[in-house]
Amino acid sequence: MSGVSGQLLYGKVVVPGSVIEDGAVAIQDGTIVFAGEAKNLPDSWQKLAANGKKTDGYIVPGFIDIHVHGGSGEDFMYSGKAELDKITSFHCSQGTTAMLATTMTAPKEAIDKVLREVDAYRKQDMPFTILEGVHMEGPFISPKWPGAQNPEHIVNPNVEWLESWEAQYPGLIKQVTLAPEREGALEAIAWMSEHGINAALGHTDATYEQVEAAVEAGLRQAVHTFNAMTPIHHRKPGTAGAVLSDDRINAEIIADGIHVHPACITILTKVKQDDNLILITDAMSAAGMPDGDYTIGDLPVQVKDGVAILKGESNSLAGSTLTMIKGFRYLVETIGLSVEHASRIASHNPAKRLRIDDRTGTLEAGKQADVLMLDNSLNIQGVWVRGRQVF
């Protein structure tokens, strides 16, 4: 190829299964055209070598956050275009190149509004993080484990609502969190499985046996593992025991050292080895903001030392202020995972769950150029979304 124009990135390139120490990534027209050893770059690209961007650290695929409620002072529940720009701009600066707008347990009309706003946003040019769709966390959850969800709005799983939403916004809802023990849950899970929507358990009082019945119906995911679910006991494995022992269940984890003890995160990384562990932030509006008073959905929250707690409660965590780059760094520096392993958990595995791994989630020729450049301390030096450097 002659007269090539594009972008060249040099560093330790993280590709599926390995790290190329002296690597290069070539980007043209928004697409990765080469990811491998720098010495194997085609001759036509060597002419751009002097203008390439270099790091002594890593080049990794952009992060994909499938469970995030907001950031930069804004909440997906109360957002139009300006607010969506603020949320996606902030998280993009922290390495997230794709995400799901995550709702709260709320009245149906409030959820309708989020779907309408996100659908309209997706039809325009999205300048920052790409909104791949919506993760509906509730309202089909257990009143026994509401967490930071408003119990006033909890209802039983409703297939008619799901059918209506899917008919109006085809393919927009990517994931629904529900309590599998609730009346109507198995029917809803089966319906979602048939329509390509991730059915996920969360905020649940389910027994081990109820979770297994849900898995047989098509459930394949657990939100924020260990949080807001029945814990493991050696005679009653509970929800957590089912998540740990069943390889069919993909487990989300909030890796901030606040929501889950590092020992439990370590256990999870050892039992979830089949691309079925997913890093999330569960970030709320206070992510990227100073300590103070905020809301999550329609509930008041106080953030102190970066920890979000429901007002009036001593132990009810209300989402997080985590970012994907901080969670990624925690997996490497505190849990002890390799950069390549942490990259799978933060990028490849969520891409698989969203069924977009054919176009993103790894650094491979032919995939869209969602790329991060990190220094040796895993700080962000550059963010590319679909080949465009955004930060």
Side-chain angles (χ1 to χ4, degrees):
M1 123 187 167
S2 61
V4 66
S5 63
Q7 303 173 75
L8 268 178
L9 312 179
Y10 292 96
K12 291 177 276 194
V13 176
V14 177
V15 296
S18 67
V19 177
I20 300 170
E21 291 293 325
D22 186 12
V25 174
I27 300 170
Q28 188 173 38
D29 298 328
T31 301
I32 297 170
V33 296
F34 177 88
E37 293 187 42
K39 66 181 181 181
N40 293 331
L41 269 168
D43 292 341
S44 54
W45 280 90
Q46 297 289 355
K47 299 174 183 178
L48 295 178
N51 297 322
K53 297 182 183 294
K54 298 179 174 64
T55 178
D56 60 354
Y58 297 88
I59 300 172
V60 301
F63 303 138
I64 301 173
D65 192 355
I66 64 175
H67 190 155
V68 50
H69 295 279
S72 195
E74 305 295 344
D75 188 315
F76 280 120
M77 294 302 298
Y78 306 101
S79 56
K81 183 182 185 306
E83 292 80 10
L84 292 175
D85 277 346
K86 283 185 68 176
I87 295 171
T88 56
S89 174
F90 168 69
H91 284 289
C92 193
S93 74
Q94 305 302 302
T96 301
T97 56
M99 70 197 319
L100 294 184
T102 305
T103 65
M104 298 290 294
T105 292
K108 183 177 182 297
E109 55 269 23
I111 298 172
D112 289 339
K113 182 179 184 297
V114 177
L115 294 174
R116 184 168 63 251
E117 294 292 346
V118 173
D119 183 64
Y121 191 76
R122 279 177 45 78
K123 291 174 179 175
Q124 306 170 26
D125 176 44
M126 291 181 277
F128 307 109
T129 299
I130 303 302
L131 287 183
E132 291 286 348
V134 171
H135 168 192
M136 196 176 291
E137 189 180 14
F140 311 137
I141 61 173
S142 169
K144 295 182 180 179
W145 296 86
Q149 310 267 359
N150 190 335
E152 293 181 8
H153 308 313
I154 293 173
V155 296
N156 283 332
N158 189 317
V159 173
E160 288 185 3
W161 287 12
L162 293 169
E163 289 176 335
S164 174
W165 284 324
E166 180 65 16
Q168 189 167 4
Y169 306 107
L172 182 64
I173 299 174
K174 302 296 186 184
Q175 180 168 317
V176 175
T177 295
L178 78 173
E181 73 278 11
R182 299 281 282 173
E183 182 181 347
L186 295 184
E187 180 187 0
I189 290 167
W191 184 91
M192 285 187 278
S193 180
E194 291 171 3
H195 289 81
I197 297 172
N198 293 339
L201 64 82
H203 295 273
T204 172
D205 199 49
T207 64
Y208 174 88
E209 291 76 16
Q210 288 169 324
V211 173
E212 287 302 293
V215 172
E216 291 301 319
L219 185 139
R220 289 294 182 271
Q221 195 155 320
V223 304
H224 44 52
T225 303
F226 298 118
N227 299 117
M229 62 178 61
T230 52
I232 189 169
H233 181 276
H234 59 283
R235 286 192 295 273
K236 292 183 179 179
T239 303
V243 174
L244 289 171
S245 63
D246 194 326
D247 290 340
R248 295 172 293 179
I249 301 176
N250 294 264
E252 297 176 1
I253 188 65
I254 307 171
D256 62 357
I258 298 166
H259 283 75
V260 180
H261 191 282
C264 291
I265 299 177
T266 298
I267 291 169
L268 201 57
T269 64
K270 291 180 184 297
V271 300
K272 294 296 182 184
Q273 291 279 335
D274 190 25
D275 292 343
N276 51 9
L277 180 59
I278 298 170
L279 175 67
I280 62 162
T281 63
D282 199 12
M284 46 99 59
S285 61
M289 302 292 286
D291 286 353
D293 293 336
Y294 297 88
T295 59
I296 185 166
D298 58 359
L299 296 178
V301 174
Q302 183 174 50
V303 177
K304 184 177 181 180
D305 298 326
V307 180
I309 303 288
L310 276 184
K311 272 195 172 180
E313 304 282 345
S314 57
N315 325 319
S316 289
L317 292 169
S320 83
T321 60
L322 186 65
T323 61
M324 286 294 281
I325 186 60
K326 288 181 179 178
F328 177 83
R329 197 181 298 127
Y330 189 90
L331 289 176
V332 174
E333 296 178 351
T334 302
I335 305 303
L337 301 187
S338 69
V339 169
E340 190 276 329
H341 190 176
S343 177
R344 292 204 310 273
I345 294 169
S347 303
H348 178 234
N349 295 355
K352 284 184 65 177
R353 287 305 298 149
L354 293 182
R355 302 171 183 86
I356 58 174
D357 54 312
D358 60 330
R359 58 180 168 86
T360 191
T362 54
L363 301 182
E364 297 178 89
K367 294 195 175 182
Q368 65 192 37
D370 300 329
V371 184
L372 308 179
M373 180 176 278
L374 312 177
D375 66 19
N376 249 333
S377 298
L378 305 183
N379 299 304
I380 292 176
Q381 294 183 308
V383 179
W384 286 259
V385 180
R386 295 178 175 175
R388 183 168 55 89
Q389 186 169 7
V390 184
F391 291 97

